[in-house]
Amino acid sequence: MAFMETLLSLISLLSSALVLHAIVEGPKPITLSLIHPFSPHSPFYPGNITDMEKIDILIQGTNARMYHLFLMMREQNWNGSSEVDDIVATVQFTGVYFVAQVGIGSFPPSPGQKGMPYWLVIDTGSYLTWVQCEGCNPCFPLQQPNFPYNRSQSYKPIPCGDPTCPTPNQDCFQSFCGFKVYYGEDPPASIAGAIIRETLTFPSDFGGTESYNSLFLGCSFKSYHYEFQEPNKIGGILGLGFGGPETLHFLNQVGKKRFSYCLSNFEHTNSQLYIGGAKMVGPQVLSTPLLRGSNEALYYLDLQDISIKNVCLRLQGSFSGGSAIDSGCPIIVLLPDVYARVRIGFVQYFTQFHIQPYDSGSRPRDLPTLDLCFPNLAGFDRYPTMTFNFRGADLDVQPPSIFSVGRNYICVLLKSGPITMIGAFQQMQHKFSYDFELGDRRRGEIGALRFAPQDCGSPA
């Protein structure tokens, strides 16, 4: 099925370069190749699994994302004498996140090596960049050696109480500037460690590499309740999220004003994330404000309504908590009341073609674990679009990003949850640029999200 092939290939997310050509900010933007989890080259590669298993992994990933980002995430003060339950620690990962290699530290005279390469998860829902360090106890399993910070020539410790410590409201880790984060509950996954200064090395858009010196980096020494699949190659996180101390924000540290990506429907096309680069301009480019929201690490948008095949659902006033956009969440999540009304909208659309949703009695066993599924009638191809009506811009989502289609089913990629969130599937085949030079700060805007349709599998 073409739709199933397109849907599964979307797991490659963040594919294809988003090359922007005007108003370049600095001579060398950071360009990171991102590897999707179902690629044989990915540290998350699950092996040869079925299409249904892939869909279920994405659903499980959405559930995990909601749990960790919205229900239980919190920060607490680290106390060097705390018991195990109070220690900060590690994020739980599923097979739906995207990773890039980053060089960390300086270890001359290794030929051509400006840093030890580590796979870091690209996370727009976290503002802290960290790696697991040598001497950790307890540690999560890692195939390569933990980062040997003491042997790096660019390592700079930050003493406890130093005015440059970016986390002054947290207690120190031993005698150093400390950090800690809890994710989840019962029991919480957590990491704890020291904030250090280090050199990070990235590929350059103009070839070669570009090193950034004396960046703040979390050095994780204690982790609890991890769920990495072994053998694990993931060393930490590259945080591109909002919130937290501004001095820790990655874009601020490298002196960039924007980052951008393009989500592809070509499974085997490597994607690229640009940090810095050009301002996104053009006749098809739309813009909507980036806002603060209830979860400080995420980016929010002013979602005003949702349309199905150009029919507005009249949801004005239903998004008082805002709507987040997150490339780390696979599929759409809607507040329960909004979900119920959107569900009715899809049922009404398919009813005109005499297609009724499966109920508990008629539902086949071999369906994805999604709530709203319809029989797939022979020859049916009149799938609707779904439009997110933001302030000043409409994001038109095409059918391959909305439906999982199999031999005997058409399932809608929707979930009910604690927030409205635009997932990675709904960002397919668009260029997106998070631009922090734009936005009216007096109105609470932190920047602007610019986007336009793009065949992300083709060279830009």
Side-chain angles (χ1 to χ4, degrees), residues 249-269:
H249 291 180
F250 185 75
L251 264 66
N252 287 346
Q253 292 196 69
V254 296
K256 305 299 181 184
K257 302 295 185 181
R258 63 187 64 87
F259 66 88
S260 53
Y261 54 74
C262 197
L263 312 186
S264 174
N265 62 353
F266 292 90
E267 181 174 354
H268 299 293
T269 303

Side-chain angles (χ1 to χ4, degrees), residues 6-17:
T6 303
L7 175 64
L8 293 175
S9 68
L10 178 58
I11 299 164
S12 67
L13 299 182
L14 299 176
S15 300
S16 171

Side-chain angles (χ1 to χ4, degrees), residues 58-74 90-94 97 125 182-190 225 227 295 298 326 328-330 333 415-419 421:
L58 295 178
I59 295 168
Q60 293 164 14
T62 301
N63 292 340
R65 189 67 163 173
M66 292 301 100
Y67 183 79
H68 293 298
L69 286 179
F70 300 104
L71 297 182
M72 304 293 179
M73 190 174 81
R74 68 184 187 269
T90 256
V91 182
Q92 295 181 358
F93 293 98
T94 63
Y97 298 117
Y182 285 83
Y183 296 83
E185 191 86 27
D186 194 30
S190 56
H225 309 303
E227 289 190 0
N295 186 300
L298 290 166
D326 183 16
C329 181
V333 179
K415 285 191 64 65
S416 178
I419 191 177
M421 173 169 282

Side-chain angles (χ1 to χ4, degrees), residues 311-366:
V311 176
C312 288
L313 300 182
R314 300 177 183 271
L315 297 171
Q316 292 90 342
S318 301
F319 307 102
S320 57
S323 172
I325 182 168
D326 183 16
S327 62
C329 181
I331 64 177
I332 306 170
V333 179
L334 300 173
L335 291 170
D337 289 347
V338 175
Y339 175 84
R341 293 168 71 179
V342 171
R343 190 184 194 281
I344 291 172
F346 277 111
V347 171
Q348 290 176 338
Y349 175 84
F350 281 93
T351 295
Q352 65 182 312
F353 302 105
H354 309 290
I355 302 175
Q356 294 296 322
Y358 286 119
D359 57 29
S360 58
S362 63
R363 184 183 178 97
R365 292 183 178 179
D366 57 339

Side-chain angles (χ1 to χ4, degrees), residues 225-238:
H225 309 303
Y226 60 85
E227 289 190 0
F228 290 105
Q229 291 186 352
E230 296 188 53
N232 171 54
K233 298 180 182 178
I234 303 302
I237 280 181
L238 178 64

